[in-house]
Amino acid sequence: MKVISELCDICGTCVAVCPVDAIIVTEFKVKIDNDICTNCMNCLKVCPAKAIEEGE
Amino acid sequence: MVKYKYDIVVIGAGPAGSVAARFAAENGASVLMLERDREPGIPVRCAEGVSHNGIVPFIDIDKRWIASQIDIAKLTSPNNESAFMHNNGVGYVLERRIFDTALCELAAKHGARLITKANALDLIKENDKIIGVKYRYMGKTREVKCDIVIAADGTESRVGRWAGINTTVALRDIDTCVQYTLAGLDIKKDTCEFYFGNEVSPGGYVWIFPKSDSTANVGIGIAGHLSHKKGPKEYLDEFVAKRFPDATITYTMFGGVPTSATLKEIVRDNIMLVGDAARQVNPITGGGIVQGMIAGSIAGKVAAEAVKKGKFDAKFLKKYRKEWDKTLGNTQKVMHSMKEKFLFMTDERFNNLVGFCKKIPSDKFSLKALFTEAVKGDPKLMLDVAKSFIVSKIKLK
């Protein structure tokens, strides 16, 4: 999964639904660790800003 | 000067965290709060509505952080019928930016310390035991030791996960939200509005919380499992285009609200979770400010007692869990099973519900009166609601 930083509002909704703790939020950005990510797509489905897409 | 060892470190300086810090400090513990952002309360991710009765136990009302006073709630059904409720008590639309800072100032007054721009990175453990927090501050990694960590790091919480607690929320138990602050409106300052229906807001609702007679927080939350094809922003844009075609957007915010029951585990040895991080949110309204403050006050007191007695194990900290369940946790469980019913409610049912509300004189509105009307008009709906009580094995007081 990949964060489209231009769209991301850094709200962290994705973190709450990530079953494997693959998402990191700082004050300035959200990062998905694709070594941990299982491609469950939960984050992509709930992102209110539609800022997550498939791919690395 | 900031010390290297505190009794308690609170991660997150929102309402839950700062109230926890205040009560812990007031009861004799040394407390440090770490806040990721540059200032408590920003960026605001909140509709900012609270009840007067909910906040007065924690802070004296101050007009600096009150945008407007709400006396009337208006519910609108899918078939565009509206019901008004007058007697739910006074509510406020807050200025969270100022409110959150005021709560931190109160915590500071009782002796708690706060560091802003301090991003928690991990828990420090020794032989699997939590002994502190590692955080990033102004380009440097720092460590602070403590006996108890209070995780108040919100919807996006990771601290609980670092302690081995499963904090994952199911898709249907998160509301995905967008909110605009709109200007140039012509609205009633004392009336908040709610719009329901599967066309308007599947598995959630649209809210209008006025901040003045020309500005309002207008937002939407929809159930996470229903948001994939059409997202909350598309629904909200449609609503705003119809209801406020000439409005100007002065603030756009995105966010998520957990609408589950409280997590199974909110304490472990040396750690407690509070607020959105513990999923202590009213699953029907999505309101979490007062819930977070109540949880924070309980957790803060228990933590201070733990410090006095030198007992930091889960067995002692479970006092917080017990007290929380008695105060709100059990009720939240019932609300959660009721929400499950709402998730699958047809528009016809919503029409019925608002119809029942309309039958009750607006100044006599109560849940009991609503139930009485509903039992007469839609026994099946009431049967569903009754089932949620049985499923949760709990009686509402």
Side-chain angles (χ1 to χ4, degrees), chain A residues 10 18 36:
Chain A
I10 321 174
C18 176
I36 302 174

Side-chain angles (χ1 to χ4, degrees), chain B residues 11 29 50 55 57 88 102 137-138 150 166 181 196 213 242 267 271 275 293 297 341 377 383-384 393 396:
Chain B
I11 302 176
V50 288
I55 53 172
N88 272 355
Y137 175 74
M138 304 295 273
I150 296 182
N166 180 6
T181 303
F196 301 93
D213 50 19
K242 254 193 247 165
V267 299
I271 187 166
M293 291 197 290
S297 69
K341 299 288 184 295
L383 197 66
D384 280 353
K393 294 176 189 150
L396 264 190

Side-chain angles (χ1 to χ4, degrees), chain B residues 110-241:
Chain B
H110 286 95
R113 297 294 305 259
L114 166 70
I115 310 178
T116 56
K117 290 185 90 65
N119 186 28
L121 297 176
D122 207 349
L123 297 170
I124 306 166
K125 293 180 190 169
E126 206 174 71
N127 303 323
D128 269 352
K129 185 174 129 76
I130 297 163
I131 57 158
V133 178
K134 200 199 289 185
Y135 65 98
R136 192 86 179 151
Y137 175 74
M138 304 295 273
K140 287 201 175 77
T141 301
R142 286 186 179 178
E143 291 190 352
V144 58
K145 298 279 168 63
C146 64
D147 293 313
I148 296 176
V149 172
I150 296 182
D153 53 333
T155 295
E156 68 265 47
S157 175
R158 293 183 69 221
V159 179
R161 292 170 188 249
W162 297 334
I165 295 172
N166 180 6
T167 60
T168 308
V169 177
L171 284 188
R172 60 199 279 165
D173 280 335
I174 189 128
D175 272 18
T176 168
C177 307
V178 182
Q179 178 174 273
Y180 298 135
T181 303
L182 295 182
L185 313 179
D186 182 10
I187 51 168
K188 289 206 167 97
K189 195 184 168 185
D190 66 349
T191 305
C192 61
E193 300 183 35
F194 302 92
Y195 291 78
F196 301 93
N198 293 306
E199 300 291 317
V200 179
S201 178
Y205 62 88
V206 168
W207 63 84
I208 301 174
F209 286 179
K211 299 195 85 166
S212 70
D213 50 19
S214 64
T215 58
N217 288 335
V218 179
I220 187 171
I222 67 180
H225 69 299
L226 301 174
S227 71
H228 187 29
K229 285 205 182 99
K230 187 171 164 184
K233 186 171 180 300
E234 291 160 276
Y235 283 101
L236 184 62
D237 285 341
E238 283 173 13
F239 178 86
V240 169

Side-chain angles (χ1 to χ4, degrees), chain B residues 22-48:
Chain B
R22 173 254 171 106
F23 277 88
E26 198 177 357
N27 287 286
S30 67
V31 183
L32 176 68
M33 280 186 278
L34 301 175
E35 167 56 44
R36 182 186 70 201
D37 286 304
R38 66 193 74 178
E39 177 187 333
I42 63 143
V44 175
R45 291 194 197 285
C46 182
E48 305 188 288

